Amino acid sequence: MGFFSNIFKLGKPKQKAVYVTAQLNHLLMPIDRGDIYEDPLDDALKSLKYGEVDGGGTMQLTTGEIAHIDVEILLSNLEDGIPFLISKLEELGAPKSSILHIQDDSNSKQIEFGKKEGVAIYLDGINLPKEVYENSDINDLIEKLNISISDLGKMESYWQGERETALYFYGSSAKGMKNNFKAIVDSYPLCKGCRIITIAPKQL
């Protein structure tokens, strides 16, 4: 009996660690990706012994604008780790149209997740009259836009390209944010000819 009892004491074999990529529809700079997602997620996963964060990346379009950010995770417990991972990422601010890529040979799949919605305002950086650029303060514009959606969300990031500057706002309702922006956008000189699009959820 001694031989068999030793076998039974071994218990279940340790589950193989699986790589999971969280493709986040959150247009953040690399330093913000680390502060907002990677560091707190790594702490949470390790505290529960579910795994750890194994890195991250920022994917860009040909224009240089951010397309999405990635957080690489090594999970040692898929059954409990996947639901926890989605819940934690949403708690940390994951927007709609984010995708979890599970890279397991026996269970490879994608899961869409995210709760926040997003709006981008693209300001014309080259075609407005010279005096508009000289006499306008983009920080004043951002403050006014943030105040207008204070009960819905806020600006979380931006991108400055050769022809446009994008302001990214995230919150509970893309439609609500657009409606609240309208009066400011219609009257503020720096907003003339701007584009306003929903970025979360992604538009087909």
Side-chain angles (χ1 to χ4, degrees), residues 4 18 20-21 38 41 68 118 147 169 176 192:
F4 289 105
V18 172
V20 176
T21 300
E38 293 177 21
L41 181 61
H68 64 263
I147 290 172
F169 298 84
K192 185 174 177 60

Side-chain angles (χ1 to χ4, degrees), residues 2-65:
F3 175 76
F4 289 105
S5 52
N6 286 336
I7 290 179
F8 293 136
K9 285 179 182 178
L10 293 176
K12 295 181 180 178
K14 187 176 181 181
Q15 185 176 354
K16 182 183 73 173
V18 172
Y19 274 101
V20 176
T21 300
Q23 179 181 311
L24 296 156
N25 183 30
H26 207 168
L27 309 186
L28 298 175
M29 301 301 287
I31 189 169
D32 295 324
R33 183 192 72 229
D35 291 342
I36 293 173
Y37 288 108
E38 293 177 21
D39 295 342
L41 181 61
D42 189 55
D43 290 342
L45 288 170
K46 286 178 177 176
S47 69
L48 293 170
K49 295 182 171 50
Y50 286 167
E52 63 183 352
V53 171
D54 194 49
T58 300
M59 308 301 120
Q60 293 178 291
L61 302 172
T62 55
T63 59
E65 184 178 8

Side-chain angles (χ1 to χ4, degrees), residues 30 67 114 134 189 194 202:
E134 291 176 346
C194 72
K202 287 184 176 179

Side-chain angles (χ1 to χ4, degrees), residues 164-182:
E164 293 181 305
T165 295
L167 308 177
Y168 305 125
F169 298 84
Y170 294 90
S172 58
S173 169
K175 181 178 180 180
M177 288 189 286
K178 284 182 177 180
N179 288 341
N180 288 18
F181 288 155
K182 190 175 188 312

Side-chain angles (χ1 to χ4, degrees), residues 36-114:
I36 293 173
Y37 288 108
E38 293 177 21
D39 295 342
L41 181 61
D42 189 55
D43 290 342
L45 288 170
K46 286 178 177 176
S47 69
L48 293 170
K49 295 182 171 50
Y50 286 167
E52 63 183 352
V53 171
D54 194 49
T58 300
M59 308 301 120
Q60 293 178 291
L61 302 172
T62 55
T63 59
E65 184 178 8
I66 294 171
H68 64 263
I69 60 174
D70 288 342
V71 176
E72 304 289 343
I73 302 113
L74 191 58
L75 276 188
S76 56
N77 182 336
L78 280 185
E79 184 178 353
D80 298 319
I82 292 297
F84 173 79
L85 189 56
I86 291 173
S87 175
K88 187 64 180 179
L89 287 168
E90 290 179 339
E91 176 191 318
L92 294 173
K96 292 180 177 178
S97 298
S98 296
I99 302 172
L100 201 64
H101 298 270
I102 303 170
Q103 303 165 40
D104 181 14
D105 293 339
S106 62
N107 191 31
S108 295
K109 61 179 178 179
Q110 299 179 0
I111 303 172
E112 188 167 324
F113 69 101

